[in-house]
Amino acid sequence: MAFTLSPLPYAHEALEPNIDAQTMHIHHGKHHQAYVDNLNKAIAGTEHESKSIEELVKHAGSISVAVRNNGGGHWNHNFFWASMAPNAGGIPSGKLGDAINQSFGSFDAFKEKFSQAGMTRFGSGWAWLIVKDGKLEISSTPNQDNPLMDVAEVKGMPILGADVWEHAYYLKYQNRRADYLAAFWNVVNWAVVAERMEAAM
Ligand code: MN
């Protein structure tokens, strides 16, 4: 079964003004679609054709560069769309809020460290909040790698990810990655992040 692009879980304009509709149209409809198409091309007629995206991503480093880049791209973007929502943001409460405070000192300190991971990722990549050995950690990966991959420097179960490729913000924010990352906090779907943490702990 070939992989397919799922529709966004909300309207393209739903994250305005934090993330603009045009960026969402191009990011989802063109960039994510291209990862799906190129992943399908890379696995067509091979033993990998019947594998799940999780299975492909986990072993990406030993399969091929095309699967690493495009399988990573497909998994990461599905995860990213679900990490955001309209009328979201704010400060996480409950177990997730407690875990963030315990791991990073405060929510503000967490935000600063996460944003720093995104800001210091040279070129294209991702900033992540992960569960590693039952604890929260922040990491970043280059290109379309992610913390599930065999090739990841820091491995763990991602519970939040921010795309810091220029295609994620350039139309609205141009070179101002910091402004994009500041706006990202207004659309983080903490309910989903909390569910992911529960599942990973
Ligand atoms: Mn992207």
Side-chain angles (χ1 to χ4, degrees), residues 27 31-32 35 73 76-77 80-81 125-126 144 163-165 167-168:
H27 198 176
H31 291 280
H32 189 173
Y35 296 126
N76 291 350
H77 286 82
F80 184 57
W81 310 134
W126 292 75
Q144 294 297 352
D163 187 344
V164 296
W165 283 58
H167 70 219

Side-chain angles (χ1 to χ4, degrees), residues 92-166:
S93 57
K95 282 185 194 170
L96 175 61
D98 293 345
I100 285 175
N101 289 336
Q102 206 165 29
S103 302
F104 306 105
S106 67
F107 182 60
D108 283 344
F110 154 73
K111 282 203 296 185
E112 196 179 314
K113 194 171 180 197
F114 185 95
S115 300
Q116 195 61 24
M119 287 303 295
T120 53
R121 170 51 58 190
F122 183 77
S124 298
W126 292 75
W128 303 99
L129 175 62
I130 64 172
V131 174
K132 183 182 169 67
D133 306 323
K135 287 182 181 157
L136 296 183
E137 268 192 42
I138 287 166
S139 71
S140 79
T141 54
N143 305 313
Q144 294 297 352
D145 286 1
N146 69 45
L148 296 171
M149 287 184 178
D150 47 359
V151 288
E153 234 172 88
V154 181
K155 293 185 191 66
M157 180 57 68
I159 63 170
L160 177 65
D163 187 344
V164 296
W165 283 58
E166 280 188 346

Side-chain angles (χ1 to χ4, degrees), residues 1 6-7 19 21-23 25 27 29 31 33 35 56 64 73 82-83 94 120 136 138 144 166 170:
M1 271 299 283
S6 298
I19 300 180
Q22 191 189 11
T23 294
H25 274 286
H27 198 176
H31 291 280
Q33 182 72 64
Y35 296 126
L56 291 173
S64 67
S83 300
T120 53
L136 296 183
I138 287 166
Q144 294 297 352
E166 280 188 346
Y170 203 84

